[in-house]
């Protein structure tokens, strides 16, 4: 390809349309600098109420030291599936003894909170029964992957729903209380103490068992977010946790970086396609950064670009299809399939045919270019945000050089053929004084919830404080 002048012209026109997605290194540095300011605002005593990046305290003040043990139940709610797990933690492993997936029907994701929690309590009840755990009242780690203002480890107020959930009567309420009430309404089993965990925290904690320098957790899946260990003296928004001079206490902060840009801070890089995705979402104006990055939205951005270029007669001979014009039909997993090294072309043909589109070799090339542009922007934006965290940890600790580990999970990071590579390369360029190791977490949020509960119990045993 490339010698035919007409083809050259088409490709250069396509490139022009895609320019708005390109983020050079200097722009990423600028974005990272803006996020750095937002981190300070989110942590500040007088500024956090209005901050776009919430920097939520998690009350997790220690990472695993390898001595934790016991049996735990874990609940994992955050995507379209809900999981219940029985986890055994001992000296050398965290083992999933048994787990069960329960689907959350679409109507339930936007129904009442009571329905949702009754469903959760029913799935948990069924699991406890089938595993003969009824009489044991095991401690429970609840991974609830939405922004929550945590008051204590077992008191967590939902700030707002994200990722397609919108159940009534839950925002502003204590999620632990809603879960316990639903269990009591049934009255056929009970649970022990509860620890609330965001999935990023679960991921960090489950990796922290293997690698004790793991102090960052990152998710790039249906949604995106990260947490990290912050110096407690910088967490000004938590009252009553004064730190004495010279003390190095830390607390894990759930950044909720998905909200970056909700105050207009990313206006200069938003494209018309991002604006359309936001406008047609169930939560316009919320989680701007997440909508440029995560699996819930990437496919839809690609679809909108495909529609635009077809209307401009640069694709499919100018002919759209009913499927292509229907929101949500271009799934994010298609991007990974199209960008695969070996089977990419074959996959593209099939995906386009299934969408009722007739394509030639040039179309296949352009569709791949679009997918690559959108996934690459996502990886670069994540890199900028992660660089903000590692640079911050290095400065916090007054180090010339920081060696650290990030625990990662999420389908976009795991399944895309070169997302992780692009993210890692870029973060190294944006944080040259940091040496970062990435560990993909297996069953991270479930196991991590058990770990948080286990660490909380260990710290209770050691110092007698309530967690
Ligand atoms: C939520 C976060 C979560 C992330 C990844 C976001 O939509 O607000 O709490 O960690 O998705 O699941």
């Amino acid at each position: 390809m490339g010698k035919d002048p007409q083809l050259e012209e088409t490709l250069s026109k396509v490139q022009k349309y895609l320019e708005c997605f390109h983020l050079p290194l200097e722009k990423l540095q600028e974005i990272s600098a803006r996020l750095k300011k937002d981190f300070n605002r989110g942590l500040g005593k007088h500024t956090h109420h209005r901050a776009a990046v919430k920097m939520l305290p998690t009350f997790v003040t220690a990472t695993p030291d390898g001595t934790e043990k016991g049996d735990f139940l874990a609940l994992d709610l955050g995507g379209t599936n809900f999981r219940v797990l029985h986890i055994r933690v001992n000296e050398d492993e965290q083992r999933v003894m048994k787990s069960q997936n329960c689907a959350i029907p679409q109507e339930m994701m936007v129904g009442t909170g009571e329905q949702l929690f009754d469903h959760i309590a029913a799935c948990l009840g069924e699991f406890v029964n089938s595993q003969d755990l009824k009489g044991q009242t095991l401690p429970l780690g609840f991974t609830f992957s939405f922004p929550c203002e945590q008051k204590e480890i077992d008191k967590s107020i939902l700030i707002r729903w994200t990722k397609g959930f919108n159940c009534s009567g839950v925002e502003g309420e204590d999620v632990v209380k809603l879960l316990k009430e639903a269990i009591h309404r049934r009255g056929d089993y009970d649970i022990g103490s509860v620890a609330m965990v965001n999935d990023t925290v679960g991921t960090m904690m489950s990796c922290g068992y293997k690698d004790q320098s793991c102090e960052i957790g990152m998710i790039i899946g249906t949604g995106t977010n990260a947490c990290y260990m912050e110096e407690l003296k910088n967490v000004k928004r938590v009252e009553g946790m004064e730190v004495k001079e010279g003390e190095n206490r830390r607390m894990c902060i759930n950044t909720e970086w998905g909200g970056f840009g909700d105050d207009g801070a990313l206006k200069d890089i938003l494209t018309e396609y991002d604006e359309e995705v936001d406008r047609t979402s169930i939560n316009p104006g919320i989680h701007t950064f997440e909508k440029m990055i995560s699996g819930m939205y990437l496919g839809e951005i690609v679809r909108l670009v495909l529609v635009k270029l077809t209307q401009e007669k640069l694709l499919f001979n100018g002919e759209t299809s009913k499927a292509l014009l229907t929101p949500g039909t271009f799934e994010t997993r298609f991007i990974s399939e199209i960008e695969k090294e070996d089977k990419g072309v074959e996959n593209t043909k099939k995906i386009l045919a299934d969408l009722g589109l007739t394509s030639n070799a040039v179309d296949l090339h352009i569709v791949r270019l679009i997918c690559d542009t959108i996934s690459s922007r996502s990886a670069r934006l994540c890199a900028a945000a992660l660089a903000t965290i590692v640079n911050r940890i290095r400065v916090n600790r007054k180090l010339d050089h920081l060696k650290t580990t990030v625990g990662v999970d999420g389908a976009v990071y795991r399944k895309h053929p070169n997302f992780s590579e692009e993210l890692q390369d870029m973060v190294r360029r944006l944080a040259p004084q940091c040496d970062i190791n990435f560990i993909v977490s297996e069953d991270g949020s479930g196991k991590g919830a058990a770990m948080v509960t286990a660490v909380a119990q260990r710290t209770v045993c050691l110092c007698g404080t309530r967690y």
Side-chain angles (χ1 to χ4, degrees):
M1 255 185 244
K3 297 232 170 69
D4 174 347
Q6 210 181 342
L7 176 64
E8 287 284 284
E9 200 190 320
T10 307
L11 286 180
S12 95
K13 279 189 187 154
V14 169
Q15 292 287 9
K16 282 239 153 56
Y17 277 99
L18 298 180
E19 246 163 40
C20 57
F21 293 105
H22 290 157
L23 298 170
L25 184 71
E26 306 72 56
K27 194 70 189 178
L28 294 171
Q29 283 164 334
E30 209 187 287
I31 290 167
S32 174
R34 285 183 215 164
L35 183 59
K36 181 177 163 195
K37 281 199 190 130
D38 275 11
F39 276 7
N40 286 331
R41 235 173 260 149
L43 288 169
K45 191 169 185 157
H46 304 293
T47 45
H48 77 269
H49 295 107
R50 288 181 314 279
V53 182
K54 294 262 168 270
M55 304 300 276
L56 301 166
T58 64
F59 293 82
V60 170
T61 49
T63 46
D65 70 0
T67 64
E68 295 78 9
K69 41 171 155 316
D71 273 27
F72 302 89
L73 284 171
L75 297 183
D76 184 2
L77 177 73
T80 40
N81 268 331
F82 159 65
R83 264 183 110 197
V84 191
L85 305 93
H86 172 203
I87 291 168
R88 182 160 296 160
V89 178
N90 58 37
E91 284 81 14
D92 30 57
E93 62 171 357
Q94 313 153 314
R95 183 159 5 134
V96 177
M97 306 299 288
K98 191 82 196 168
S99 74
Q100 190 177 313
N101 276 357
C102 300
I104 307 261
Q106 177 67 33
E107 323 79 75
M108 204 173 270
M109 289 168 71
V110 293
T112 69
E114 197 168 305
Q115 271 169 345
L116 177 71
F117 282 91
D118 279 345
H119 181 62
I120 295 175
C123 296
L124 179 59
E126 203 179 290
F127 183 78
V128 166
N129 228 342
S130 69
Q131 298 307 303
D132 265 344
L133 299 168
K134 228 173 175 173
Q136 295 195 31
T137 47
L138 294 179
L140 178 133
F142 187 6
T143 308
F144 185 74
S145 309
F146 301 94
C148 288
E149 183 77 55
Q150 208 145 338
K151 299 292 180 196
E152 290 174 47
I153 197 125
D154 61 350
K155 188 162 188 215
S156 201
I157 316 286
L158 176 67
I159 299 175
R160 62 187 173 212
W161 288 112
T162 58
K163 296 178 289 197
F165 275 81
N166 204 359
C167 301
S168 59
V170 189
E171 288 181 352
E173 298 296 323
D174 175 9
V175 180
V176 178
K177 188 165 152 264
L178 296 179
L179 174 69
K180 285 188 170 162
E181 282 172 0
I183 293 174
H184 291 155
R185 268 198 294 279
R186 296 175 56 87
D188 57 346
Y189 68 95
D190 211 354
I191 48 168
S193 57
V194 177
M196 281 296 290
V197 191
N198 184 264
D199 51 354
T200 53
V201 183
T203 300
M204 177 187 84
M205 293 294 268
S206 70
C207 292
Y209 201 62
K210 281 187 238 143
D211 175 343
Q212 275 144 37
S213 56
C214 182
E215 45 193 352
I216 301 171
M218 177 170 77
I219 304 281
I220 312 166
T222 310
T224 184
N225 189 14
C227 70
Y228 71 101
M229 295 305 286
E230 175 61 86
E231 308 307 305
L232 196 51
K233 65 175 186 313
N234 294 338
V235 190
K236 307 251 171 27
R237 79 206 292 292
V238 180
E239 311 264 331
M241 289 203 98
E242 279 73 35
V243 185
K244 295 190 199 91
E245 204 44 51
E247 253 188 342
N248 279 336
R249 287 169 64 200
R250 297 189 178 128
M251 183 187 277
C252 179
I253 294 293
N254 165 15
T255 65
E256 287 294 337
W257 74 22
F260 184 28
D262 289 1
D263 56 358
L266 294 174
K267 239 186 160 39
D268 58 328
I269 61 163
L270 285 179
T271 66
E272 58 182 281
Y273 312 99
D274 297 309
E275 281 161 3
E276 173 78 6
V277 163
D278 181 50
R279 229 185 350 260
T280 53
S281 68
I282 65 168
N283 53 358
I286 284 174
H287 272 210
T288 308
F289 194 55
E290 175 161 282
K291 287 174 180 161
M292 301 169 90
I293 290 175
S294 76
M296 175 124 192
Y297 310 98
L298 289 185
E300 184 63 4
I301 303 177
V302 169
R303 189 189 69 83
L304 292 171
V305 178
L306 290 175
V307 170
K308 175 83 177 186
L309 292 191
T310 312
Q311 286 165 346
E312 296 298 321
K313 306 222 172 342
L314 294 166
L315 266 177
F316 316 128
N317 221 358
E319 284 177 38
T320 57
S321 67
K322 190 157 173 253
L324 184 68
L325 293 175
T326 310
T329 46
F330 196 97
E331 296 176 36
T332 296
R333 71 184 165 87
F334 295 168
I335 300 178
S336 300
E337 285 163 22
I338 288 171
E339 286 192 61
K340 276 206 180 114
E341 195 70 62
D342 47 351
K343 292 210 168 116
V345 175
E346 208 179 300
N347 292 345
T348 316
K349 273 190 201 153
K350 171 143 194 345
I351 290 166
L352 295 177
D354 289 349
L355 288 170
L357 297 160
T358 319
S359 56
N360 60 27
V362 182
D363 292 329
L364 298 181
H365 178 80
I366 296 175
V367 171
R368 188 187 177 120
L369 185 66
I370 296 170
C371 289
D372 181 49
T373 305
I374 305 303
S375 60
S376 164
R377 180 183 70 153
S378 162
R380 291 164 83 91
L381 284 171
C382 279
L386 184 59
T388 315
I389 293 186
V390 288
N391 282 327
R392 180 174 178 98
I393 296 180
R394 185 182 66 74
V395 172
N396 270 348
R397 302 194 190 156
K398 303 188 176 63
L399 297 171
D400 291 332
H401 191 86
L402 173 77
K403 199 167 173 342
T404 191
T405 298
V406 186
V408 199
D409 206 351
V412 174
Y413 186 90
R414 275 169 179 279
K415 302 261 169 76
H416 187 278
N418 50 26
F419 189 96
S420 56
E421 213 177 305
E422 181 153 16
L423 185 152
Q424 294 184 15
D425 285 352
M426 191 42 77
V427 91
R428 286 182 184 123
R429 290 173 68 188
L430 290 162
Q433 287 154 282
C434 302
D435 177 1
I436 312 159
N437 177 28
F438 291 81
I439 307 186
V440 172
S441 115
E442 299 297 334
D443 273 331
S445 43
K447 284 182 181 169
M451 283 319 296
V452 173
T453 324
V455 171
Q457 289 192 331
R458 168 172 63 79
T459 42
V460 173
C461 294
L462 290 179
C463 54
T465 50
R466 186 176 180 281
Y467 63 86

